[in-house]
Amino acid sequence: MAYAPVAGRYARALFELGVEEKQVEELDKALGELAELMKESAELGKVLFNPAVQLEERRGVLKAIAESAKWPGLFQNFILLLLDKDRLRFIDDMSAAFAEQLDEYKGQARARVTSAVALKDPQIEAIRTRLGELTGKDVILTADVDESLIGGIVARVGSTIYDGSVRTQLQRMGESILKEI
């Protein structure tokens, strides 16, 4: 997935510290919570990103949120640094980049499977197992429905796409026929 380069650097730095301190799970949770809070609360963004509000007041707001949420001290220091460096606006990308690094660290891969009809549990499990064999990782699978596929499935694991949809097969056949004409 593509992130702002600065988000990837900060996420990597926090991840490395989290590994050293054995807090990666807690940091991932805290990052996700803060990213969600920032998405949900326009008022919070107005305070944290408003240069008319004194930096110490903005720091106080973040400290209060962090203490209320019981986030680890390492994370509290991290978000205050982000505020000081005007990098807090990248928190959503940082959270996604951190989660991706955590998956890699744990030997996991996230996959999204889209099918024309809802898949049954045995089908989902078979797909998860096959994708695990292809990637060599434990696959965390999310399933969606897109009726425009007509049939078959499309699986995305990271940046790799496995497209076995009828729609794509029909498109390829059409292109092949047009080339021969």
Side-chain angles (χ1 to χ4, degrees):
M1 182 159 205
Y3 309 108
V6 68
R9 288 192 300 270
Y10 276 92
R12 188 173 31 263
L14 182 63
F15 186 81
E16 289 171 3
L17 287 171
V19 169
E20 285 177 24
E21 299 294 322
K22 297 177 177 37
Q23 293 184 339
V24 289
E25 297 284 343
E26 295 88 345
L27 293 173
D28 181 51
K29 181 176 182 271
L31 258 173
E33 288 173 354
L34 180 57
E36 191 62 31
L37 182 63
M38 302 273 297
K39 273 191 242 177
E40 290 177 357
S41 175
E43 293 81 25
L44 180 60
K46 287 177 185 174
V47 170
L48 294 177
F49 300 129
N50 186 347
V53 177
Q54 294 295 316
L55 180 60
E56 281 310 310
E57 290 179 60
R58 291 183 277 159
R59 288 174 65 89
V61 168
L62 266 183
K63 284 178 187 177
I65 292 169
E67 288 171 10
S68 172
K70 296 182 175 44
W71 289 332
L74 174 62
F75 185 70
Q76 292 182 33
N77 292 336
F78 177 74
I79 61 175
L80 291 173
L81 174 72
L82 293 178
L83 179 67
D84 293 347
K85 300 288 185 183
D86 194 28
R87 299 292 192 248
L88 203 52
R89 66 187 78 255
F90 298 107
I91 199 72
D92 198 41
D93 278 357
M94 286 179 207
S95 177
F98 190 96
E100 201 171 90
Q101 290 177 53
L102 181 58
D103 285 345
E104 186 68 31
Y105 180 76
K106 293 167 73 176
Q108 297 175 329
R110 294 191 187 269
R112 178 169 301 279
V113 173
T114 306
S115 58
V117 296
L119 298 171
K120 294 180 174 54
D121 288 340
Q123 293 169 311
I124 291 172
E125 187 56 31
I127 293 167
R128 190 187 73 70
T129 300
R130 182 64 183 131
L131 290 174
E133 291 167 357
L134 289 169
T135 62
K137 297 181 179 187
D138 182 30
V139 175
I140 300 166
L141 192 71
T142 305
D144 293 325
V145 174
D146 178 356
E147 294 173 358
S148 74
L149 294 179
I150 303 170
I153 64 167
V154 176
R156 176 185 292 267
V157 183
S159 61
T160 304
I161 298 174
Y162 303 95
D163 190 340
S165 67
V166 172
R167 176 182 66 194
T168 299
Q169 291 173 14
L170 289 172
Q171 285 173 342
R172 287 183 186 146
M173 285 173 43
E175 290 168 4
S176 176
I177 291 170
L178 288 175
K179 282 182 184 175
E180 292 183 18
I181 294 178

